[in-house]
Amino acid sequence: MQNHFKLLHFTLKKELGEVYASILIRNLALSLVSIFVPIYLLTQTNIGFGGLIIYYFIQAIFLFLFYFISASLCYKYGTNKTILSSIPFYLIFFFILYNYYDSIYLMYLSAIVVGVAQGLFWFAFNYEFAEVSDKKHRGEEVKFWYFFSSIIGTIGPLLGGLLLSTEGFNTIFFISSVLFLLSAAPLFRSKTRKLKNKIKWTNCFKIKYFSVAPKYFAQGFRIEINSIFWPLFIFLILGEYFKTGFIFSGVALVSSIVIWFVGNKIDKIDKKVFSGLSTVFDGVISITRAFVSNFAHIIGVSAASGVSSGISEISTTALAYDSENKRKIGEHILFREMILTSARFTLFAILFFSGLDIMSNLKLAFFLLAGVSILQELF
């Protein structure tokens, strides 16, 4: 009980309370739309599957570039102001999706805008968390972050699917925009935390960082496949927004339960070993995705995937924050993003040049995730 009070104190630390309040509102906004954006791009615009890959490739480029810009802003202005600066870009992103779905070029512009927003946000948040969190309780502290995000994730997809079934995409884009606007309010009250040292990007290539690179590479595949290609695959099988949202709300619920219990154990074992083995397990589960064909299959595989992905994500993320506290934090955060970006580029390139039809390409993505998840344990 005493440990839980300590963790609650961490979550509600005065200097972090406003930032976390903002992030929870942000997560609610994203959970409404995130799994439906790739579906929207493929079914409501004219870009096609090849254009969809290009879209996310462009987004990844600008996310990567603005990680570095975010680091400079954190050094000069602080993390909270940098997080705040990402919000207008999210609003512009939703504005473009809301108004210009019939223009391919403006769709690609929205990829640039959301990439900028993500780059500005994620470096600042990762630095803030790595600086403040306690290594002895890292797994539990990451648990609280992922747990509350997952709880919110049980609401968003289901509500988003319901609204899409009754109102359409513009409604969820509008609601998400309002929520992002509201997420700015707590940041105006928060204290700033600045990057301690200006980062030289050449320092991000130190040999000692590469020991955890294979795990980050597998994580990069897992993030993109879980957020883009698995939702798309499910929708193309079921053809219904509500059922798709229902499944992802269920996955979020399963993940939140797993995260709550696993987070208590991670600090007591070797995070690197646990991350590697859980990622292998997630890769094996990924193979089964390629063989689902109906609602019952998808429910079963999604539940198993929610368990495996939840364990893998929380252990790999806790390991990352441990690594960041052992070295210069900013440098390691940027190194990690370089590996995640290389994974994204590799995945997108393979799918773009495969020459397969949409469903075959999506199945290929699941096999690729299985491959990199298993191989990362060999290095």
Side-chain angles (χ1 to χ4, degrees):
M1 180 65 72
Q2 186 179 2
N3 283 339
H4 286 293
F5 280 121
K6 287 180 180 178
L7 290 170
L8 182 62
H9 173 70
F10 164 81
T11 306
L12 300 178
K13 275 183 178 179
K14 186 175 181 181
E15 68 266 32
L16 285 176
E18 293 87 354
V19 175
Y20 286 139
S22 174
I23 288 167
L24 288 176
I25 299 171
R26 172 189 180 277
N27 286 350
L28 178 59
L30 286 177
S31 69
L32 277 172
V33 298
S34 58
I35 66 166
F36 299 110
V37 168
I39 298 169
Y40 173 81
L41 292 170
L42 189 66
T43 62
Q44 304 297 313
T45 71
N46 299 316
I47 65 176
F49 188 75
L52 180 75
I53 299 298
I54 294 172
Y55 179 95
Y56 283 105
F57 184 82
I58 293 170
Q59 179 178 313
I61 291 173
F62 281 86
L63 188 161
F64 176 69
L65 293 175
F66 273 79
Y67 243 74
F68 288 87
I69 293 174
S70 179
S72 296
L73 293 175
C74 287
Y75 176 75
K76 190 171 184 179
Y77 300 108
T79 54
N80 60 331
K81 292 180 181 178
T82 304
I83 291 173
L84 185 62
S85 73
S86 71
I87 293 174
F89 290 97
Y90 279 111
L91 296 177
I92 295 170
F93 167 67
F94 288 121
F95 177 80
I96 295 173
L97 293 184
Y98 188 100
N99 290 285
Y100 299 106
Y101 60 89
D102 56 345
S103 171
I104 293 177
Y105 297 108
L106 285 174
M107 284 299 101
Y108 288 144
L109 175 62
S110 74
I112 294 173
V113 171
V114 76
V116 170
Q118 290 175 340
L120 291 173
F121 172 83
W122 278 113
F123 178 89
F125 175 77
N126 284 329
Y127 179 80
E128 183 84 17
F129 193 96
E131 264 285 328
V132 175
S133 59
D134 173 22
K135 182 181 177 180
K136 291 183 180 179
H137 302 100
R138 185 90 66 212
E140 291 191 88
E141 290 167 346
V142 173
K143 174 192 79 173
F144 270 84
W145 164 24
Y146 272 70
F147 175 76
F148 286 116
S149 294
S150 295
I151 289 296
I152 289 174
T154 65
I155 302 170
L158 187 62
L159 180 58
L162 178 62
L163 289 172
L164 282 174
S165 300
T166 57
E167 302 294 333
F169 277 99
N170 282 353
T171 300
I172 63 169
F173 291 155
F174 176 76
I175 294 173
S176 294
S177 298
V178 172
L179 288 171
F180 261 106
L181 196 59
L182 291 175
S183 74
L187 293 174
F188 286 107
R189 300 177 55 193
S190 63
K191 294 181 180 180
T192 190
R193 182 183 300 278
K194 293 185 178 182
L195 194 65
K196 293 178 180 178
N197 301 298
K198 196 168 186 178
I199 298 173
K200 293 182 179 180
W201 69 271
T202 52
N203 290 340
C204 301
F205 294 97
K206 293 176 180 177
I207 296 297
K208 61 183 179 180
Y209 292 169
F210 282 86
S211 62
V212 288
K215 299 189 186 326
Y216 295 161
F217 193 82
Q219 187 179 34
F221 267 67
R222 185 169 60 251
I223 290 169
E224 300 308 311
I225 288 169
N226 286 347
S227 61
I228 302 171
F229 301 116
W230 181 230
L232 194 56
F233 188 73
I234 290 175
F235 179 79
L236 291 176
I237 291 175
L238 300 179
E240 295 183 33
Y241 295 116
F242 181 75
K243 284 185 177 180
T244 302
F246 173 82
I247 288 169
F248 278 89
S249 288
V251 169
L253 179 60
V254 171
S255 294
S256 64
I257 295 170
V258 171
I259 286 167
W260 182 261
F261 289 103
V262 171
N264 294 326
K265 309 296 181 184
I266 287 179
D267 294 314
K268 302 174 184 178
I269 58 179
D270 188 322
K271 295 184 182 71
K272 192 171 183 179
V273 172
F274 196 69
S275 172
L277 293 177
S278 61
T279 300
V280 169
F281 178 62
D282 186 57
V284 173
I285 295 296
S286 181
I287 295 173
T288 65
R289 298 185 188 189
F291 300 100
V292 301
S293 58
N294 57 48
F295 186 70
H297 292 167
I298 293 171
I299 287 286
V301 171
S302 294
S305 178
V307 172
S308 61
S309 292
I311 295 173
S312 186
E313 276 300 306
I314 191 173
S315 57
T316 304
T317 301
L319 173 66
Y321 287 126
D322 274 2
S323 299
E324 285 157 12
N325 267 17
K326 289 177 184 176
R327 301 149 182 153
K328 291 185 177 180
I329 296 173
E331 289 178 5
H332 190 79
I333 292 173
L334 290 177
F335 169 78
R336 182 188 181 205
E337 185 55 32
M338 289 178 190
I339 303 301
L340 293 175
T341 299
S342 67
R344 294 179 181 115
F345 287 175
T346 302
L347 174 63
F348 296 153
I350 292 172
L351 297 181
F352 185 80
F353 292 109
S354 70
L356 299 172
D357 59 67
I358 294 176
M359 293 301 285
S360 297
N361 245 328
L362 295 174
K363 291 178 181 180
L364 174 61
F366 305 145
F367 283 110
L368 290 171
L369 175 57
V372 298
S373 296
I374 294 169
L375 287 174
Q376 60 81 32
E377 185 60 14
L378 302 177
F379 293 94

